Amino acid sequence: NKYRVLKKVVAVEKGITFLELFEEYVIDKKKSIRPTTFKNKYLMALNFLRQNTVVGNIEIDVEEPEYVDKIIQSLKCKFSEETALAIFVQFQAFITWAIKLKKIKKLRINPLTSLKSEIKPNKRKKNDDYKTLSFSADERDEILNAIATSDKPFVRHYYNYYSFLFYTGCRPSEAIAVVWDDIIGDYEFIRFNKAITDSVDGLKELEGLKTQDYRLFPINNQVKDIFIKQKEYQPNNLKNRVFTTQRGKIIETRTLRSRVWQPILSNLKIDYKKPYSTRHTFITLSLEAGMDVKDVTKLVGNSPITTYKHYASTDIRQIQVPNL
């Protein structure tokens, strides 16, 4: 029929998807957070959206969103309830960010708000007493002796490094970033002012510390002895770092944990605790030796509240009220 009417096909423009906007959110957040936080927190949520097209392809900017249940069920199927809840909270913050910055216009109220109860994590008793994560002084000495007397040169190489962790209470990320120029005077102070962390792009050195720009640590005879021995032993390295691998490279703490730390504890039949427990051990033993909480917090860079809460707790039944 020559008078046939041609129908015009109108393409419906698809709105921005959950994944597309979340990728923009992650790029924005990456500028202001530490690499470790980005890797452990944001990247997990991003990878979930990339793998789960059901959620990733959701059109996010709609007036009456019906995708909330779909998100919750997908998270529950993929992760443990604790991990699912952590990612769900991340999505809540993401949508709030999108609304606040007007990245989406139709959606005025965050549909994920007040729905955390839909994902109920297992109620496990959280261990807030960090003293239980510490080694005793005897265990500390056993560990260091086992490293020092190991028949493997690779293990013995890290004796000074682990001694430094135990006797300063610094974070492993801070220890591997220390350079000889950070030692002030004739072994009077250490200036902790940077950290090396694991990021999606590999190891990365960051200026400043987790909770402060820098802190000074007074060097006692134990720590001075560590530095003197390390000065004699340390292989050459371009960055003048105090603690490195046998080849003068940056220490990768994960590799060290599996090749040195875990085997040593296993052979000694000491209950496994992470290398970070060297920090807990220093704090606990310092308090038990009679140091004031405020002084200990200055040495390790914690807040007094954190130290009181996790290390200086006292059974109320043991407190005696003085006559005033």
Side-chain angles (χ1 to χ4, degrees):
N1 187 343
K2 63 179 180 179
Y3 298 108
R4 184 177 57 187
V5 177
L6 296 177
K7 294 182 179 179
K8 185 177 180 181
V9 178
V10 179
V12 178
E13 184 179 351
K14 186 180 179 182
I16 191 166
T17 66
F18 206 102
L19 173 59
E20 290 169 341
L21 193 55
F22 193 80
E23 286 177 333
E24 188 177 334
Y25 169 71
V26 167
I27 292 171
D28 181 60
K29 289 297 178 182
K30 190 176 181 180
K31 303 171 187 175
S32 58
I33 59 175
R34 297 179 75 85
T36 306
T37 303
F38 174 77
K39 183 177 180 180
N40 296 338
K41 195 173 181 181
Y42 293 84
L43 199 58
M44 182 184 294
L46 180 59
N47 287 336
F48 165 72
L49 292 176
R50 286 173 174 169
Q51 295 168 9
N52 191 313
T53 55
V54 173
V55 178
N57 290 334
I58 287 173
E59 187 176 340
I60 191 170
D61 193 15
V62 292
E63 292 180 359
E64 297 182 7
E66 299 178 354
Y67 49 72
V68 175
D69 187 61
K70 190 180 295 184
I71 292 174
I72 292 173
Q73 295 307 317
S74 296
L75 287 172
K76 283 184 173 181
C77 290
K78 175 72 174 178
F79 301 105
S80 68
E81 290 184 327
E82 288 186 356
T83 302
L85 178 60
I87 295 178
F88 186 81
V89 170
Q90 192 67 246
F91 288 161
Q92 280 184 323
F94 152 63
I95 294 180
T96 298
W97 167 87
I99 294 173
K100 184 177 180 180
L101 296 185
K102 297 182 179 179
K103 300 287 183 179
I104 48 182
K105 299 177 181 179
K106 296 178 183 177
L107 194 62
R108 301 294 179 86
I109 299 175
N110 191 336
L112 303 188
T113 302
S114 303
L115 287 174
K116 284 197 297 184
S117 59
E118 296 294 325
I119 302 177
K120 299 177 182 178
N122 296 327
K123 292 185 177 180
R124 294 186 300 177
K125 186 177 180 181
K126 186 177 179 181
N127 185 2
D128 283 333
D129 186 1
Y130 281 20
K131 290 187 290 185
T132 62
L133 300 178
S134 305
F135 296 102
S136 67
D138 288 340
E139 288 175 327
R140 175 201 62 195
D141 295 343
E142 281 187 71
I143 292 168
L144 291 178
N145 182 63
I147 294 173
T149 59
S150 172
D151 58 358
K152 299 177 181 178
F154 171 80
V155 174
R156 294 198 304 272
H157 172 80
Y158 294 101
Y159 170 73
N160 290 331
Y161 166 72
Y162 281 113
S163 297
F164 185 75
L165 292 179
F166 270 120
Y167 290 120
T168 64
C170 72
R171 302 174 180 90
S173 60
E174 297 169 351
I176 62 178
V178 172
V179 297
W180 288 106
D181 289 341
D182 292 329
I183 300 170
I184 300 172
D186 185 19
Y187 297 108
E188 296 174 12
F189 294 93
I190 308 165
R191 181 183 175 91
F192 291 108
N193 60 1
K194 51 192 169 296
I196 296 177
T197 61
D198 188 15
S199 72
V200 291
D201 302 316
L203 295 175
K204 186 174 183 179
E205 182 171 289
L206 301 175
E207 292 296 325
L209 307 177
K210 185 177 181 180
T211 57
Q212 56 196 153
D213 291 334
Y214 74 93
R215 71 175 182 277
L216 294 179
F217 185 97
I219 297 175
N220 62 9
N221 289 333
Q222 285 177 317
V223 178
K224 181 178 179 179
D225 187 51
I226 292 170
F227 280 133
I228 291 174
K229 290 178 180 177
Q230 188 67 3
K231 191 79 171 178
E232 297 171 353
Y233 172 76
Q234 174 62 41
N236 293 327
N237 64 90
L238 294 176
K239 293 288 186 178
N240 204 27
R241 301 194 190 283
V242 175
F243 304 105
T244 67
T245 66
Q246 287 176 298
R247 296 182 179 181
K249 304 294 184 182
I250 295 175
I251 292 174
E252 295 192 23
T253 54
R254 288 189 180 183
T255 301
L256 216 56
R257 181 171 58 189
S258 61
R259 295 188 62 188
V260 177
W261 187 255
Q262 289 176 337
I264 288 290
L265 294 187
S266 178
N267 291 338
L268 292 173
K269 294 181 170 52
I270 293 176
D271 290 342
Y272 181 78
K273 298 178 181 69
K274 294 180 180 180
Y276 202 90
S277 287
T278 56
R279 178 174 172 83
H280 301 319
T281 302
F282 174 83
I283 296 172
T284 300
L285 294 180
S286 295
L287 292 172
E288 290 178 354
M291 283 192 70
D292 187 271
V293 171
K294 290 181 290 185
D295 293 332
V296 175
T297 59
K298 289 179 182 178
L299 292 180
V300 298
N302 276 348
S303 69
I305 293 175
T306 298
T307 306
Y308 272 113
K309 179 180 178 182
H310 296 303
Y311 300 98
S313 58
T314 305
D315 191 330
I316 190 69
R317 292 168 295 184
Q318 297 175 354
I319 297 176
Q320 293 185 357
V321 180
N323 295 316
L324 301 176

